[in-house]
Amino acid sequence: MTHYAEVIGDPIAQSKSPVIHEFWLAALGIEAAYRKTQVTAEGLGDYFAGRRDDPDWLGCNITIPHKQAALDFVEDRGDVRASIGAINTVFRSDGAIVGTNTDAAGFYAPIAGMDLAGQPVVVIGAGGAARAILFALARVGVERVTLLNRNPLKGAALLANFGLKGDALKLDSPLPPAALLVNATSLGMTGQPPLDLDLSVLPEEAVVYDIVYAPLETALLKAARARDLDTVDGLEMLIGQAALAFELFFGQAPPRDRDDELRALLTA
Ligand code: NAP
């Protein structure tokens, strides 16, 4: 049998992770596979019990709805439960299966060149992705975040959780000026309403980051480009979080100098 890793979730058909990992496996000539497997919430315990004893299984990525529940079945060496509260990657280490979260670092990598310490930031959304993003922002010295969400109480709880100052507001509140604006909601995704924001208050050096990757050109990014603002699209984070997981599964860094080819494949 071939060694393999996989992505699990329910539903799982939509996942782009196999395209990314298979591209890197082929590029590096690694004889292993990466597949997608549907696992229901009721089946999660059985899944980990079975895979633990499968010598070919190298680990898995985890997507909706298992990112929190999966913590119950793995070792939490990095104290992720107490910080981000959700894992997206499980890998083998010293005979154990260990959970970690590569979304935070995957989110941050494309903006690592920005000096965000002490800068005002706007985050839209308070779901799982927003948790990883707020964790990353707090780690790099951001102190004030204006968080807009359909449910502002949920936003306020998240800010407190990550020790961030700032306001939690309703989604239709006017934006304050900010160095970075991030969409961490599913608004703008295919089948969802667009995220309709007036960006005129943002300074000209502001960066607008939309983590939605289907479609790649969201109405938010279009509006930011119309104002000549720098933008980061959702594929950057998707590829970034996958790159860290790939190394944990297969023991080699993926060839990031071939991102253009990979992006073309993902958007074909
Ligand atoms: P989630 O935990 O379900 O959170 C969804 C967020 O979107 C919540 O803040 C929710 O508001 C908000 N929302 C959903 N529908 C809305 C609506 N109709 N009106 C207003 N707000 C709405 O999902 P998630 O895991 O955080 O993912 C969010 C998005 O990020 C998805 O599009 C996902 O594909 C994308 N994502 C991308 C990457 C990447 O690597 N690029 C990684 C993870 C996620 P409430 O809090 O009020 O419910």
Side-chain angles (χ1 to χ4, degrees), residues 22-30 255 258:
E22 290 282 356
F23 173 80
W24 288 332
L25 286 171
L28 293 171
I30 297 174
R258 295 183 60 180

Side-chain angles (χ1 to χ4, degrees), residues 64 125-129 149-151 154 171 184-187 189 192 211-213 234 237-238:
I64 290 171
N149 197 47
R150 183 166 58 175
N151 175 356
K154 196 170 154 193
L171 203 51
T185 69
S186 39
L187 291 174
M189 234 173 96
Q192 293 274 335
I211 73 163
V212 167
Y213 54 81
M237 176 173 169
L238 189 73

